[in-house]
Amino acid sequence: MKRPRLRQIKPLLTPIDTRTVKPFNTRSYKARLQADPSLKFYSTAAWQQFRSAVIAERGRRCETCSATPDTVYLDHIEELRDGGAPLDRSNVQVLCGSCHQKKSIRARMVRFGLV
Ligand SMILES: [Zn+2]
């Protein structure tokens, strides 16, 4: 006896995004690069070497909360787009993802005069 075939029924409703504040960094790299040409700096060999050297010296520990995640960020204390020195050891800190995100959002709010 032949079994009846099951068909996928197309949903009648499609989900919509009702969020008024869109999630952080959802644009493509190309779109973000267009909005902020200083992003290109992060793919240079000079930055990659500097980043590796500083993280090796200081260890993979967040300088804000002391977490030791697998992935750490070398953060510019004064951001490049705010005129911070790109390869100055006194202008960088090792941060975990959470602290880096919080710090970046805060810097953005200050830049746009929201705080
Ligand atoms: Zn942290």
Side-chain angles (χ1 to χ4, degrees), residues 62 64-65 96 99:
C62 176
T64 298
C65 73
C96 70
C99 290

Side-chain angles (χ1 to χ4, degrees), residues 35-50:
D36 180 13
S38 71
L39 267 182
K40 203 163 202 146
F41 168 75
Y42 294 102
S43 52
T44 62
W47 168 253
Q48 301 285 337
Q49 285 162 15
F50 177 76

